[in-house]
Amino acid sequence: MTAPSSSPDHSRPYDLVGVGIGPFNLSLAALADGVPGFRSLFLDAKPAFSWHPGLLMEGTTLQVPFLADLVTMADPTSPWSYLNYLRSHDRMFKFFFSERFHIPRREYDHYCRWAAERLPSCRFDAEVTALEWDESADAFAVVHRSASGAETRVLARQVVLGVGTNPVVPEPLRPLLTDCHTGRILHSADYRTYRTRLSAADDVTVIGAGQSGAEVALDLLRNQDGDGQGGPYVRWLARTTAFAPMEYSKIGLEHFTPDYIRYFRHLPEATRERLVREQWQLYKGVSEETLGEIYDELYERTIGGGEPRATLQPGVEIVAAEADGEGYLLTCRTQQQDTLFEIRTSAVVSATGYAASRPAFLESMGDLVDWDDRGRYQVDGEYRVALDPRVSGTLYVQNAEMHTHGVGAPDLTLGAWRAATILNTAAGRSVLPVAPRQAFTTFGAPEVPASVEPAAPVPDETATTPSGTPR
């Protein structure tokens, strides 16, 4: 291992260093680009930008409108907008005539790569291996390493963590993940890698009632022969009580506004935990279009008296799993009936979401971070992580604050607004003005309760004046 390099440029602290270049830190990099007197650097271990490559199937679209790009919700005049991306590729008329509000997922990935390749603050092939507080420099020391092993040390007055989330699979499947390289047990994040192999399997079980699970199930159904006889038998299981559509009403979407975040942050912790569980349809549901397409595929199979080679079963959880010859034996439990049954399947795709985790490079700062009693970041309204008073620098976090900020944390809708909030705080001035109110809905009691005037006495209709006439 080579010693970390140093240079005059690296000896001067950056105003902000971002770790990880996913859509959220990329949004911050785009908004910070060209801000006078503000010096930033963003680092990522990957050789180039990529966004959920395992799920970039043809025909899949974002679940948010194109305006939820890297910058528009905070700065629609930015040169890093999706519309400017279209213009730079001479596709404005094509986009206009296509009348799309929700763009292809593959195009969103290409748009982000277009921005990441051009932003001068973004560095790939730069794996952050250490983050420490350097008291002598009064700054964070960030060490990153290239694939060749060369190490570089930079200083930063402020650091923002945008390292993303990690795939989660049900506990009974975890011991079997050693088979992931065979394409027989895998998370949906790797689906596209093993798509051809899964299409040739006899029986595939998809777990998870979210958009990813629905898209994988639909893709497998479409890989059956026209009469539905060839290709794998498709089984779609989920713990939720129904395969339910995403909440997409105009009023319902106001849960993805700064107004709701401010309300949510001040609720008791137990209430926040309960709400995140109860509001699963806001962020774990399936688009109505995808559910409709699955139904239509199944309906086509019934023409001429046929039966779909598929099972859709909600309200089921996997309680045990084991290898069984060339496949697997899954023990399942129906939640409402509390009944056990078994399934034999050739392969399992676990579309069971993602969760934030503590990056390894943060271990050296473990005693300087004020973790909550569950080992999670404590995050304030400007996305600053609570730190030991000995640290004068600021640590921010993106997409690891659902427990403090609510269901909008992983949603692209709020990405640019959150990045603008961080940028304003990091710069110490209002680089991008943030409107105070965005929702029609009033969440909770009014911030300034109306004054209560004493009620006027109600006239007694039966009372009389001294003359005997009614008042």
Side-chain angles (χ1 to χ4, degrees):
M1 182 181 296
T2 59
S5 65
S6 60
S7 69
D9 186 55
H10 294 147
S11 65
R12 182 163 66 96
Y14 286 90
D15 295 298
L16 182 71
V17 167
V19 183
I21 306 178
F24 296 133
N25 262 0
L26 186 58
S27 173
L28 182 52
L31 291 173
D33 183 51
V35 173
F38 191 79
R39 192 162 165 261
S40 61
L41 175 69
F42 292 82
L43 307 168
D44 197 288
K46 298 188 297 291
F49 181 91
S50 64
W51 182 73
H52 295 300
L55 288 170
L56 297 183
M57 284 96 73
E58 300 79 0
T60 58
T61 60
L62 285 186
Q63 289 182 283
V64 294
F66 72 89
L67 291 173
D69 62 12
L70 298 172
V71 294
T72 296
M73 297 296 282
D75 181 11
T77 68
S78 169
W80 302 108
S81 70
Y82 170 75
L83 289 179
N84 197 44
Y85 154 81
L86 290 174
R87 180 177 178 274
S88 71
H89 288 83
D90 296 324
R91 297 178 63 223
M92 285 293 287
F93 275 87
K94 295 180 177 67
F95 176 74
F96 179 78
F97 293 132
S98 73
E99 296 187 343
R100 286 181 179 269
F101 202 48
H102 293 81
I103 63 175
R105 194 175 291 167
R106 291 172 57 242
E107 185 175 33
Y108 179 77
D109 173 72
H110 189 259
Y111 155 65
C112 288
R113 281 191 282 125
W114 167 81
E117 290 168 0
R118 288 160 178 78
L119 281 165
S121 62
C122 290
R123 309 276 173 82
F124 291 91
D125 186 22
E127 179 188 5
V128 172
T129 57
L131 174 64
E132 299 175 345
W133 177 248
D134 187 332
E135 292 187 10
S136 62
D138 196 32
F140 292 100
V142 184
V143 177
H144 60 90
R145 182 174 58 209
S146 69
S148 65
E151 287 193 341
T152 303
R153 183 178 186 268
V154 297
L155 297 175
R157 295 186 177 90
Q158 302 171 93
V159 171
V160 56
L161 303 179
V163 295
T165 52
N166 296 319
V168 173
V169 299
E171 192 279 330
L173 293 177
R174 292 172 194 168
L176 301 173
L177 283 177
T178 53
D179 287 350
C180 65
H181 64 280
T182 66
R184 296 167 60 201
I185 293 278
L186 64 146
H187 191 272
S188 56
D190 297 316
Y191 174 71
R192 196 159 172 253
T193 302
Y194 299 102
R195 185 184 187 189
T196 302
R197 194 174 302 177
L198 288 165
S199 297
D202 294 328
D203 181 297
V204 179
T205 298
V206 181
I207 303 171
Q211 184 68 21
S212 297
E215 288 175 353
V216 170
L218 177 60
D219 191 64
L220 290 168
L221 284 171
R222 286 174 169 167
N223 278 305
Q224 293 178 345
D225 292 345
D227 58 3
Q229 297 306 305
Y233 185 96
V234 180
R235 187 181 294 101
W236 187 19
L237 309 179
R239 288 193 304 173
T240 55
T241 56
F243 296 110
M246 181 81 76
E247 167 59 71
Y248 208 73
S249 66
K250 294 177 182 179
I251 297 297
L253 288 176
E254 291 198 333
H255 286 85
F256 300 98
T257 59
D259 306 66
Y260 184 72
I261 290 176
R262 285 190 288 269
Y263 163 74
F264 185 89
R265 282 193 60 250
H266 293 95
L267 294 173
E269 181 179 354
T271 304
R272 296 199 304 264
E273 299 287 346
R274 175 176 56 80
L275 278 175
V276 168
R277 293 192 301 270
E278 292 176 351
Q279 294 172 337
W280 62 272
Q281 275 187 262
L282 287 169
Y283 64 103
K284 288 185 178 180
V286 184
S287 72
E288 288 189 8
E289 292 79 7
T290 305
L291 289 173
E293 289 171 356
I294 291 174
Y295 189 92
D296 290 345
E297 286 291 330
L298 298 174
Y299 179 81
E300 286 282 337
R301 307 292 193 268
T302 67
I303 297 175
E307 285 292 332
R309 295 182 59 249
T311 297
L312 277 61
Q313 196 164 5
V316 170
E317 65 174 330
I318 309 297
V319 297
E322 60 183 80
D324 181 37
E326 293 298 313
Y328 301 93
L329 177 66
L330 308 179
T331 303
C332 307
R333 181 176 69 87
T334 58
Q335 294 185 334
Q336 295 175 354
Q337 297 171 312
D338 196 20
T339 301
L340 296 176
F341 64 96
E342 294 181 337
I343 289 172
R344 284 179 169 78
T345 187
S346 305
V348 179
V349 180
S350 183
T352 43
Y354 302 79
S357 62
R358 190 182 306 184
F361 63 76
L362 204 58
E363 291 303 316
S364 58
M365 283 208 42
D367 63 335
L368 296 177
V369 177
D370 188 9
W371 308 101
D372 73 5
D373 57 5
R374 299 191 186 188
R376 302 172 299 191
Y377 303 106
Q378 299 197 69
V379 189
D380 72 5
E382 281 70 45
Y383 298 92
R384 294 174 293 204
V385 173
L387 299 175
D388 188 282
R390 291 174 291 172
V391 180
S392 61
T394 306
L395 182 67
Y396 304 88
V397 71
Q398 301 215 63
N399 194 15
E401 74 283 358
M402 184 181 285
H403 59 292
T404 58
H405 286 62
V407 295
D411 195 87
L412 294 175
T413 303
L414 283 160
W417 174 85
R418 177 174 54 198
T421 300
I422 293 173
L423 177 59
N424 288 341
T425 306
R429 62 186 188 275
S430 181
V431 176
L432 294 167
V434 177
R437 182 174 171 86
Q438 297 287 346
F440 292 117
T441 305
T442 297
F443 296 103
E447 292 184 6
V448 182
S451 60
V452 179
E453 298 292 340
V458 178
D460 185 350
E461 297 286 339
T462 63
T464 61
T465 64
S467 63
T469 58
R471 287 178 178 173

